[in-house]
Amino acid sequence: NAGVTQTPKFQVLKTGQSMTLQCAQDMNHNSMYWYRQDPGMGLRLIYYSASEGTTDKGEVPNGYNVSRLNKREFSLRLESAAPSQTSVYFCASSDGSQPQHFGDGTRLSIL
Amino acid sequence: QKEVEQNSGPLSVPEGAIASLNCTYSDRGSQSFFWYRQYSGKSPELIMSIYSNGDKEDGRFTAQLNKASQYVSLLIRDSQPSDSATYLCAVNYPGNTPLVFGKGTRLSVIA
């Protein structure tokens, strides 16, 4: 039982490049989330999907797009990466009001 | 405004002591409360859930909830150096919205 799987684990991009972060969960959860975490800033919600077919903006959506491909998969895309998007990205999933379960994270550096 | 407030720390305690971590929230209608532990460079890990007033114990961990005063706390008894981590408080606010996370309290247990 893998839980929440994120790929890749590490990535270095140049400014202006695009990239998609992948997330898959095998817990049959309805809801999925993307966060970024920067030193001293805590977890900040980028986008979430309450159920298959729906997506909503979180606290810091600018510069990102998401796709809920099916119930298992939720991807995060950076269309034109900027140095300010250097961060650790976490995907999480949950069922209703139950606690979220997190993936191991993607460490993204943009030069 | 949905807020979860935590003292950022660092909170330093000697090995074997009780560590007390506190969290306040802004909506009395909240029903679900969670504590996550995050080691440096790792993802958040759920360690306690609490849903009703009073105490909930799990091994060396005790979560305490006081809805009237809008605070939730985490006590760690017989603290060990391996407990050194950042502890995140998360609150499920009313309505179909994602968990709101505090920025975390960094705990350092000194051997």
Side-chain angles (χ1 to χ4, degrees):
Chain A
N1 186 356
V4 179
T5 302
Q6 292 184 235
T7 56
K9 296 190 184 305
F10 303 92
Q11 185 69 48
V12 179
L13 293 177
K14 294 181 179 178
T15 297
Q17 287 185 316
S18 62
M19 162 147 204
T20 299
L21 307 185
Q22 306 286 354
C23 176
Q25 53 94 6
D26 62 4
M27 294 175 283
N28 201 35
H29 287 165
N30 287 313
S31 303
M32 298 184 74
Y33 312 85
W34 276 106
Y35 294 89
R36 62 177 290 175
Q37 189 175 41
D38 304 292
M41 299 294 291
L43 288 166
R44 291 188 290 171
L45 184 64
I46 305 171
Y47 271 94
Y48 67 101
S49 171
S51 61
E52 187 178 355
T54 69
T55 60
D56 285 288
K57 295 178 180 180
E59 181 185 356
V60 289
N62 291 344
Y64 305 95
N65 286 301
V66 290
S67 296
R68 184 73 183 267
L69 305 169
N70 48 57
K71 191 171 185 179
R72 290 187 63 248
E73 298 172 288
F74 189 38
S75 63
L76 178 72
R77 183 162 178 83
L78 288 71
E79 290 291 352
S80 179
S84 61
Q85 294 177 306
T86 292
S87 189
V88 180
Y89 291 84
F90 289 107
C91 177
S93 69
S94 72
D95 229 359
S97 62
Q98 296 305 304
Q100 296 177 12
H101 298 266
F102 287 81
D104 290 339
T106 295
R107 281 143 188 82
L108 182 61
S109 293
I110 300 163
L111 306 177
Chain B
Q1 179 111 6
K2 300 175 182 178
E3 294 182 334
V4 176
E5 299 288 343
Q6 295 183 256
N7 188 321
S8 62
L11 173 66
S12 294
V13 300
E15 183 175 358
I18 296 175
S20 178
L21 304 159
N22 300 312
C23 168
T24 59
Y25 58 96
S26 57
D27 190 329
R28 291 193 174 199
S30 302
Q31 296 294 324
S32 309
F33 308 86
F34 309 102
W35 283 99
Y36 288 80
R37 177 177 62 200
Q38 186 175 23
Y39 291 115
S40 181
K42 300 295 186 181
S43 60
E45 171 194 13
L46 179 71
I47 56 172
M48 289 289 284
S49 305
I50 187 165
Y51 301 94
S52 54
N53 275 331
D55 294 359
K56 179 181 177 183
E57 188 175 316
D58 184 359
R60 295 186 296 112
F61 297 97
T62 299
Q64 299 175 317
L65 175 61
N66 184 324
K67 290 187 178 181
S69 300
Q70 296 173 229
Y71 82 78
V72 57
S73 60
L74 179 70
L75 301 179
I76 306 174
R77 290 181 301 280
D78 188 23
S79 295
Q80 301 296 310
S82 58
D83 295 324
S84 298
T86 297
Y87 290 80
L88 304 172
C89 174
V91 176
N92 203 340
Y93 278 91
N96 189 22
T97 56
L99 288 180
V100 179
F101 285 85
K103 292 185 178 180
T105 298
R106 187 156 55 94
L107 172 67
S108 179
V109 180
I110 311 300

